[in-house]
Amino acid sequence: MRGLGSAFLVAASLTASSAALAGEEELILGQTMPYSGPASALSAVGKVQTRYFQMINERGGINGRKIKLISLDDGYSPPKAVEQTRRLVESDEAVAIFGSMGTAQNAAVQKYLNSRKVPQLFVFAASDRFADPKTSPYTISGMTLFSTEAAIYARLVSEGTPRARIAVLYQNDDYGREYLRSFKAELARLDPQAEIVAASPYEVTSPTVESQVVSLASTNANVFLNASTGKFTSQAIRKAGELGWHAQQFLPIGSNFVATILKPAGLENAKGAISATPTKTVGDPEWASDPAYLEWLAFMKKYYPEGDIEDQLNFTGWNVAVLMTRVLEACGTDFSRENIMKHATALKNVALPGLIGGITVNSTPDDYRLIKSLRPQRFDGERWVPMSGTMAAR
C-alpha cells in the first residue's frame, strides 16, 4: 500500500499516552497484517477492522474509552511479525494484540505474548495451538479450528459415502498437515473401512498444483478433500474439471468464496462441491433481507466505500471486530489485561451478526474453541445451498 509506510492506521483522534493499559482516554489494540507481500489480499481484514473502530469511536467509544487500533504491516513474514508485535507491546503499549493474520505469524509471537501476559485475541489462524489454554492461556483463535472443520467433513464423508476412497491435496505446512491429521483421525473412528488412497502436498511457493491433481485423479478416488488455499484451490478445482474427475469434492471454509475462488476456477467445475460454514455468505440471496447483513452493507457504504462487498474477508473481519467489542463492553471500566482475558474466556451463547442462526460463540477457561458447529452446504453452480441444519463436531 503506497504512502502508508509500515503502518496502516485508522485511530481515535486523541493522542496516545502511557496510560493505554489503564485507558484514561483511549484503549490501544495492536495487530499485524500482510499489507505487502504475496498474501496482501488478506489485509482486507485489517482494513475493515480499523474502519469499524473508527465508527465505534464516532459513536462515543466503549464505556467511555476511544479505541485506537494500530495495524502494522508484517509482509506475511514471521520475523517481521515478531518485530512489529514487540513494537506494539513495548513502544505503543497495546493492551492486547487483536486479530493478527496468519498461522506462522501468530505462532512466532505466541510464546512472547504469553510470557508477558498480553492477550492474543481472536487471531486469524485456526490451528489447535491457538486454542490451548494449558500451554498458552493468553491466546485465542477467532476462527473455526481446522480440527473442528476437518472432523465435520469426515462425518459427512462417512455418512454420505461409506467405505470411501479419498484423495487429498494439502498445503505442506502446519495448516495442511494438521488438517489432514484431524480428518484422518475422525474418519478412522467413524468409518474404519474408508481409505485415503493418496495424499499430495504442495508448497506455497509453487506456481501450480496441476501435476498433483493429475496424480490424485489417476487413483479414481470417489472423494477429493481439497485442503488447499487461495489460487491453489482455484487451480485444483479447474484441473479436476478439465480431467473429468467427478469425485465428491470438499472445500475448506477459507477456500469456498464464490467471487475470489470459485469464479476463477469456473463455476461449473465447482458444482456439487461441499463445504461448511458458521457465517453468512456475502452476495448470497439468502441474506438479502437479513437485518444484520444489511447493517454490514450500510457500514461498508459509509466507512469503507472502496471495499469489495463481494469479498468474504470484509464480512468476516467486521464480525470478529464485533466480537472484540462485546468483550470490551463486558469489561466495564476495568480494561486491564487480566479483566479482558477473564471476559474473553467466559463467552456464553454470544450471537454475532455475521453468524448463521443457531451458531453462537462460547468459551470457558478450559475450552477456547469458540465455534463448535457449522452448517454443511453444497455449491449448485451459482451459490451455496444449505444441506441441513447445523452440525456439531464431536
Side-chain angles (χ1 to χ4, degrees):
M1 295 177 64
R2 295 181 180 177
L4 293 184
S6 65
F8 176 84
L9 306 177
V10 176
S13 59
L14 300 175
T15 302
S17 71
S18 60
L21 296 182
E24 290 183 358
E25 293 185 334
E26 64 181 1
L27 187 72
I28 298 177
L29 302 176
Q31 67 177 200
T32 65
M33 285 282 154
Y35 289 111
S36 63
S40 59
L42 299 176
S43 67
V45 169
K47 296 172 188 175
V48 77
Q49 289 179 340
T50 49
R51 267 103 171 162
Y52 173 84
F53 284 110
Q54 177 188 5
M55 177 192 72
I56 291 296
N57 289 338
E58 289 183 6
R59 295 178 177 180
I62 299 175
N63 299 339
R65 303 289 189 270
K66 297 295 180 71
I67 308 301
K68 180 176 182 178
L69 175 59
I70 304 177
S71 189
L72 302 182
D73 183 19
D74 63 16
Y76 215 54
S77 162
K80 188 67 171 178
V82 171
E83 176 188 335
Q84 298 287 47
T85 300
R86 289 180 68 96
R87 169 189 157 177
L88 289 165
V89 173
E90 297 171 21
S91 298
D92 297 309
E93 297 186 298
V95 69
I97 299 300
F98 158 68
S100 290
M101 177 65 67
T103 299
Q105 293 71 28
N106 279 292
V109 301
Q110 188 172 7
K111 185 175 181 180
Y112 164 76
L113 292 171
N114 277 267
S115 69
R116 296 181 67 102
K117 298 184 177 181
V118 177
Q120 185 183 17
L121 296 181
F122 311 137
V123 298
F124 273 75
S127 170
D128 279 7
R129 68 176 294 152
F130 303 118
D132 183 357
K134 291 183 179 179
T135 303
S136 300
Y138 282 80
T139 300
I140 300 180
S141 172
M143 303 176 68
T144 304
L145 298 181
F146 297 143
S147 58
T148 299
E149 183 183 2
I152 285 177
Y153 293 148
R155 179 176 164 187
L156 289 169
V157 170
S158 69
E159 293 176 355
T161 314
R163 301 181 181 181
R165 289 171 47 83
I166 304 142
V168 183
L169 177 69
Y170 68 98
Q171 196 160 289
N172 192 23
D173 59 9
D174 288 345
Y175 153 64
R177 291 188 290 269
E178 184 174 336
Y179 206 99
L180 178 56
R181 184 169 60 249
S182 298
F183 179 82
K184 277 184 174 180
E186 188 67 0
L187 187 66
R189 186 184 75 83
L190 295 171
D191 186 359
Q193 293 182 302
E195 181 184 3
I196 295 179
V197 296
S200 294
Y202 69 90
E203 304 297 329
V204 294
T205 54
S206 301
T208 178
V209 294
E210 289 192 358
S211 62
Q212 286 94 328
V213 177
V214 170
S215 177
L216 293 172
S218 70
T219 66
N220 293 316
N222 57 359
V223 171
F224 176 26
L225 178 62
N226 187 357
S228 59
T229 61
K231 69 175 184 179
F232 302 110
T233 307
S234 299
Q235 291 173 358
I237 294 170
R238 184 171 60 247
K239 191 62 179 179
E242 291 173 354
L243 294 170
W245 182 31
H246 300 301
Q248 176 58 66
Q249 189 165 180
F250 287 83
L251 299 177
I253 293 172
S255 301
N256 65 14
F257 306 154
V258 176
T260 56
I261 302 291
L262 304 190
K263 282 185 178 179
L267 295 180
E268 187 61 29
N269 293 327
K271 188 174 182 179
I274 292 174
S275 189
T277 184
T279 60
K280 300 163 186 175
T281 301
V282 299
D284 194 293
E286 180 179 4
W287 312 112
S289 301
D290 178 69
Y293 185 70
L294 294 175
E295 176 188 349
W296 172 72
L297 288 175
F299 158 79
M300 290 290 290
K301 183 177 180 180
K302 181 175 181 180
Y303 289 95
Y304 193 14
E306 71 275 27
D308 185 358
I309 60 172
E310 291 190 352
D311 188 342
Q312 188 75 24
L313 288 172
N314 283 326
F315 188 70
T316 302
W318 168 78
N319 197 52
V320 176
V322 173
L323 176 59
M324 188 70 220
T325 298
R326 298 281 176 84
V327 170
L328 294 177
E329 288 172 341
C331 288
T333 58
D334 179 0
F335 291 116
S336 64
R337 288 168 173 164
E338 293 75 15
N339 199 42
I340 289 174
M341 284 307 303
K342 173 185 175 181
H343 289 283
T345 58
L347 300 167
K348 185 174 182 180
N349 296 326
V350 176
L352 296 177
L355 293 179
I356 292 168
I359 298 177
T360 57
V361 172
N362 293 271
S363 64
T364 71
D366 299 318
D367 188 351
Y368 282 10
R369 297 172 300 152
L370 298 186
I371 302 290
K372 302 179 183 67
S373 297
L374 303 173
R375 188 180 74 174
Q377 52 189 8
R378 189 187 299 274
F379 190 66
D380 70 359
E382 295 182 359
R383 58 183 291 264
W384 289 103
V385 179
M387 295 172 59
S388 66
T390 60
M391 178 179 286
R394 179 170 63 108

Short mmCIF file of all heavy atoms in Angstrom, two decimals, residues 130-165:
data_model
loop_
_atom_site.label_atom_id
_atom_site.label_comp_id
_atom_site.label_asym_id
_atom_site.label_seq_id
_atom_site.Cartn_x
_atom_site.Cartn_y
_atom_site.Cartn_z
N PHE A 130 -3.75 -22.46 18.92
CA PHE A 130 -4.31 -21.18 19.33
C PHE A 130 -5.59 -21.36 20.16
O PHE A 130 -6.33 -20.41 20.38
CB PHE A 130 -4.58 -20.30 18.11
CG PHE A 130 -3.36 -20.07 17.27
CD1 PHE A 130 -3.30 -20.50 15.96
CD2 PHE A 130 -2.24 -19.44 17.80
CE1 PHE A 130 -2.17 -20.31 15.19
CE2 PHE A 130 -1.10 -19.24 17.04
CZ PHE A 130 -1.06 -19.68 15.73
N ALA A 131 -5.82 -22.57 20.60
CA ALA A 131 -6.95 -22.86 21.50
C ALA A 131 -6.52 -23.87 22.54
O ALA A 131 -7.17 -24.89 22.78
CB ALA A 131 -8.14 -23.38 20.69
N ASP A 132 -5.38 -23.60 23.16
CA ASP A 132 -4.77 -24.50 24.13
C ASP A 132 -4.52 -23.73 25.43
O ASP A 132 -3.42 -23.22 25.67
CB ASP A 132 -3.46 -25.04 23.56
CG ASP A 132 -2.78 -26.04 24.47
OD1 ASP A 132 -3.31 -26.29 25.59
OD2 ASP A 132 -1.73 -26.58 24.09
N PRO A 133 -5.53 -23.63 26.28
CA PRO A 133 -5.40 -22.80 27.49
C PRO A 133 -4.32 -23.27 28.46
O PRO A 133 -3.79 -22.46 29.23
CB PRO A 133 -6.80 -22.88 28.13
CG PRO A 133 -7.43 -24.09 27.54
CD PRO A 133 -6.87 -24.24 26.17
N LYS A 134 -3.98 -24.54 28.45
CA LYS A 134 -2.95 -25.03 29.36
C LYS A 134 -1.56 -24.53 28.95
O LYS A 134 -0.76 -24.14 29.80
CB LYS A 134 -2.96 -26.56 29.41
CG LYS A 134 -4.20 -27.13 30.09
CD LYS A 134 -4.13 -28.64 30.18
CE LYS A 134 -5.36 -29.19 30.89
NZ LYS A 134 -5.32 -30.68 30.98
N THR A 135 -1.29 -24.53 27.65
CA THR A 135 0.02 -24.12 27.16
C THR A 135 0.10 -22.62 26.92
O THR A 135 1.12 -21.99 27.24
CB THR A 135 0.36 -24.87 25.86
OG1 THR A 135 0.30 -26.28 26.09
CG2 THR A 135 1.73 -24.49 25.35
N SER A 136 -0.98 -22.05 26.37
CA SER A 136 -0.98 -20.63 26.01
C SER A 136 -2.28 -19.99 26.49
O SER A 136 -3.21 -19.77 25.71
CB SER A 136 -0.84 -20.47 24.49
OG SER A 136 0.36 -21.03 24.03
N PRO A 137 -2.36 -19.68 27.77
CA PRO A 137 -3.62 -19.17 28.34
C PRO A 137 -4.03 -17.79 27.84
O PRO A 137 -5.17 -17.39 28.03
CB PRO A 137 -3.36 -19.15 29.85
CG PRO A 137 -1.86 -19.07 29.97
CD PRO A 137 -1.33 -19.84 28.81
N TYR A 138 -3.12 -17.06 27.18
CA TYR A 138 -3.45 -15.72 26.71
C TYR A 138 -3.73 -15.67 25.21
O TYR A 138 -3.88 -14.60 24.64
CB TYR A 138 -2.31 -14.74 27.06
CG TYR A 138 -2.35 -14.31 28.51
CD1 TYR A 138 -1.83 -15.14 29.50
CD2 TYR A 138 -2.94 -13.11 28.90
CE1 TYR A 138 -1.89 -14.77 30.84
CE2 TYR A 138 -3.01 -12.74 30.23
CZ TYR A 138 -2.48 -13.57 31.20
OH TYR A 138 -2.55 -13.20 32.52
N THR A 139 -3.86 -16.84 24.58
CA THR A 139 -4.06 -16.91 23.13
C THR A 139 -5.39 -17.58 22.78
O THR A 139 -5.68 -18.67 23.28
CB THR A 139 -2.93 -17.72 22.46
OG1 THR A 139 -1.68 -17.08 22.72
CG2 THR A 139 -3.14 -17.81 20.96
N ILE A 140 -6.18 -16.91 21.92
CA ILE A 140 -7.46 -17.47 21.48
C ILE A 140 -7.62 -17.22 19.97
O ILE A 140 -7.46 -16.09 19.50
CB ILE A 140 -8.66 -16.85 22.21
CG1 ILE A 140 -8.55 -17.08 23.71
CG2 ILE A 140 -9.97 -17.43 21.70
CD1 ILE A 140 -9.70 -16.48 24.50
N SER A 141 -7.97 -18.26 19.24
CA SER A 141 -8.27 -18.11 17.82
C SER A 141 -9.64 -17.47 17.64
O SER A 141 -10.55 -17.69 18.44
CB SER A 141 -8.26 -19.48 17.13
OG SER A 141 -8.72 -19.37 15.80
N GLY A 142 -9.78 -16.69 16.58
CA GLY A 142 -11.08 -16.12 16.26
C GLY A 142 -11.79 -16.87 15.16
O GLY A 142 -12.81 -16.42 14.64
N MET A 143 -11.27 -18.04 14.79
CA MET A 143 -11.80 -18.79 13.66
C MET A 143 -12.26 -20.18 14.09
O MET A 143 -11.91 -20.66 15.17
CB MET A 143 -10.71 -18.94 12.58
CG MET A 143 -10.14 -17.63 12.07
SD MET A 143 -8.79 -17.86 10.90
CE MET A 143 -9.67 -18.59 9.52
N THR A 144 -13.02 -20.83 13.22
CA THR A 144 -13.31 -22.25 13.42
C THR A 144 -12.01 -23.01 13.29
O THR A 144 -11.28 -22.84 12.31
CB THR A 144 -14.30 -22.75 12.35
OG1 THR A 144 -15.48 -21.94 12.38
CG2 THR A 144 -14.66 -24.20 12.59
N LEU A 145 -11.68 -23.86 14.24
CA LEU A 145 -10.43 -24.58 14.22
C LEU A 145 -10.39 -25.59 13.07
O LEU A 145 -11.41 -26.15 12.68
CB LEU A 145 -10.20 -25.31 15.53
CG LEU A 145 -10.10 -24.44 16.79
CD1 LEU A 145 -9.85 -25.31 18.01
CD2 LEU A 145 -9.00 -23.39 16.65
N PHE A 146 -9.18 -25.82 12.54
CA PHE A 146 -9.01 -26.81 11.48
C PHE A 146 -9.56 -28.16 11.93
O PHE A 146 -10.21 -28.87 11.16
CB PHE A 146 -7.53 -26.99 11.13
CG PHE A 146 -6.86 -25.76 10.58
CD1 PHE A 146 -5.55 -25.47 10.92
CD2 PHE A 146 -7.53 -24.90 9.73
CE1 PHE A 146 -4.92 -24.34 10.42
CE2 PHE A 146 -6.90 -23.77 9.22
CZ PHE A 146 -5.59 -23.50 9.56
N SER A 147 -9.29 -28.53 13.17
CA SER A 147 -9.71 -29.84 13.66
C SER A 147 -11.22 -29.96 13.71
O SER A 147 -11.78 -31.03 13.41
CB SER A 147 -9.11 -30.10 15.05
OG SER A 147 -9.51 -29.09 15.97
N THR A 148 -11.91 -28.89 14.07
CA THR A 148 -13.37 -28.90 14.09
C THR A 148 -13.93 -29.08 12.69
O THR A 148 -14.81 -29.92 12.45
CB THR A 148 -13.91 -27.59 14.70
OG1 THR A 148 -13.45 -27.46 16.04
CG2 THR A 148 -15.43 -27.54 14.67
N GLU A 149 -13.41 -28.29 11.76
CA GLU A 149 -13.90 -28.35 10.39
C GLU A 149 -13.60 -29.70 9.74
O GLU A 149 -14.48 -30.32 9.13
CB GLU A 149 -13.25 -27.22 9.58
CG GLU A 149 -13.73 -27.14 8.14
CD GLU A 149 -13.02 -26.06 7.36
OE1 GLU A 149 -12.13 -25.38 7.93
OE2 GLU A 149 -13.34 -25.91 6.17
N ALA A 150 -12.36 -30.17 9.87
CA ALA A 150 -11.98 -31.44 9.26
C ALA A 150 -12.79 -32.60 9.83
O ALA A 150 -13.16 -33.53 9.11
CB ALA A 150 -10.49 -31.68 9.47
N ALA A 151 -13.10 -32.55 11.12
CA ALA A 151 -13.90 -33.61 11.74
C ALA A 151 -15.31 -33.64 11.17
O ALA A 151 -15.89 -34.71 10.97
CB ALA A 151 -13.94 -33.40 13.26
N ILE A 152 -15.87 -32.47 10.89
CA ILE A 152 -17.21 -32.42 10.31
C ILE A 152 -17.20 -32.97 8.89
O ILE A 152 -18.11 -33.70 8.47
CB ILE A 152 -17.76 -30.99 10.37
CG1 ILE A 152 -18.18 -30.67 11.82
CG2 ILE A 152 -18.94 -30.80 9.41
CD1 ILE A 152 -18.68 -29.28 12.05
N TYR A 153 -16.14 -32.69 8.11
CA TYR A 153 -16.05 -33.26 6.76
C TYR A 153 -15.90 -34.77 6.82
O TYR A 153 -16.46 -35.50 5.99
CB TYR A 153 -14.90 -32.63 5.99
CG TYR A 153 -15.11 -31.16 5.69
CD1 TYR A 153 -14.04 -30.29 5.62
CD2 TYR A 153 -16.39 -30.64 5.52
CE1 TYR A 153 -14.23 -28.94 5.36
CE2 TYR A 153 -16.59 -29.31 5.27
CZ TYR A 153 -15.51 -28.45 5.20
OH TYR A 153 -15.71 -27.11 4.96
N ALA A 154 -15.15 -35.27 7.81
CA ALA A 154 -15.03 -36.72 7.96
C ALA A 154 -16.38 -37.34 8.26
O ALA A 154 -16.72 -38.42 7.74
CB ALA A 154 -14.04 -37.04 9.08
N ARG A 155 -17.16 -36.66 9.06
CA ARG A 155 -18.51 -37.16 9.37
C ARG A 155 -19.39 -37.16 8.13
O ARG A 155 -20.12 -38.12 7.87
CB ARG A 155 -19.13 -36.29 10.47
CG ARG A 155 -20.54 -36.69 10.87
CD ARG A 155 -21.03 -35.84 12.02
NE ARG A 155 -22.47 -35.94 12.18
CZ ARG A 155 -23.19 -35.20 13.02
NH1 ARG A 155 -22.57 -34.33 13.81
NH2 ARG A 155 -24.50 -35.34 13.10
N LEU A 156 -19.30 -36.10 7.32
CA LEU A 156 -20.10 -36.04 6.10
C LEU A 156 -19.68 -37.13 5.12
O LEU A 156 -20.53 -37.72 4.43
CB LEU A 156 -19.95 -34.66 5.45
CG LEU A 156 -20.63 -33.50 6.18
CD1 LEU A 156 -20.18 -32.16 5.61
CD2 LEU A 156 -22.16 -33.62 6.09
N VAL A 157 -18.38 -37.42 5.04
CA VAL A 157 -17.91 -38.49 4.17
C VAL A 157 -18.44 -39.84 4.66
O VAL A 157 -18.95 -40.65 3.87
CB VAL A 157 -16.37 -38.51 4.10
CG1 VAL A 157 -15.88 -39.78 3.39
CG2 VAL A 157 -15.85 -37.28 3.37
N SER A 158 -18.34 -40.09 5.95
CA SER A 158 -18.76 -41.38 6.49
C SER A 158 -20.25 -41.61 6.30
O SER A 158 -20.68 -42.75 6.08
CB SER A 158 -18.39 -41.48 7.98
OG SER A 158 -19.17 -40.60 8.77
N GLU A 159 -21.03 -40.53 6.38
CA GLU A 159 -22.49 -40.66 6.23
C GLU A 159 -22.92 -40.70 4.77
O GLU A 159 -23.88 -41.39 4.41
CB GLU A 159 -23.19 -39.51 6.95
CG GLU A 159 -23.02 -39.54 8.47
CD GLU A 159 -23.63 -38.33 9.15
OE1 GLU A 159 -24.11 -37.42 8.44
OE2 GLU A 159 -23.62 -38.29 10.40
N GLY A 160 -22.23 -39.94 3.92
CA GLY A 160 -22.66 -39.82 2.52
C GLY A 160 -21.98 -40.77 1.57
O GLY A 160 -22.56 -41.13 0.53
N THR A 161 -20.76 -41.19 1.90
CA THR A 161 -20.00 -42.08 1.01
C THR A 161 -19.29 -43.13 1.85
O THR A 161 -18.07 -43.07 2.06
CB THR A 161 -18.96 -41.28 0.18
OG1 THR A 161 -19.57 -40.11 -0.35
CG2 THR A 161 -18.40 -42.13 -0.95
N PRO A 162 -20.03 -44.11 2.36
CA PRO A 162 -19.40 -45.15 3.18
C PRO A 162 -18.30 -45.88 2.40
O PRO A 162 -18.40 -46.05 1.18
CB PRO A 162 -20.57 -46.09 3.51
CG PRO A 162 -21.80 -45.25 3.33
CD PRO A 162 -21.48 -44.31 2.22
N ARG A 163 -17.27 -46.30 3.10
CA ARG A 163 -16.12 -47.01 2.51
C ARG A 163 -15.49 -46.19 1.38
O ARG A 163 -15.06 -46.73 0.36
CB ARG A 163 -16.55 -48.38 1.99
CG ARG A 163 -17.15 -49.28 3.05
CD ARG A 163 -17.53 -50.63 2.50
NE ARG A 163 -18.12 -51.49 3.51
CZ ARG A 163 -18.51 -52.74 3.29
NH1 ARG A 163 -18.38 -53.27 2.07
NH2 ARG A 163 -19.03 -53.47 4.26
N ALA A 164 -15.42 -44.91 1.58
CA ALA A 164 -14.92 -44.02 0.55
C ALA A 164 -13.45 -44.26 0.25
O ALA A 164 -12.68 -44.70 1.10
CB ALA A 164 -15.12 -42.57 0.99
N ARG A 165 -13.09 -43.97 -1.01
CA ARG A 165 -11.69 -43.91 -1.44
C ARG A 165 -11.37 -42.42 -1.60
O ARG A 165 -11.95 -41.76 -2.46
CB ARG A 165 -11.49 -44.66 -2.75
CG ARG A 165 -11.59 -46.18 -2.60
CD ARG A 165 -11.60 -46.88 -3.96
NE ARG A 165 -10.56 -46.37 -4.85
CZ ARG A 165 -9.28 -46.77 -4.83
NH1 ARG A 165 -8.89 -47.68 -3.93
NH2 ARG A 165 -8.39 -46.27 -5.68
#
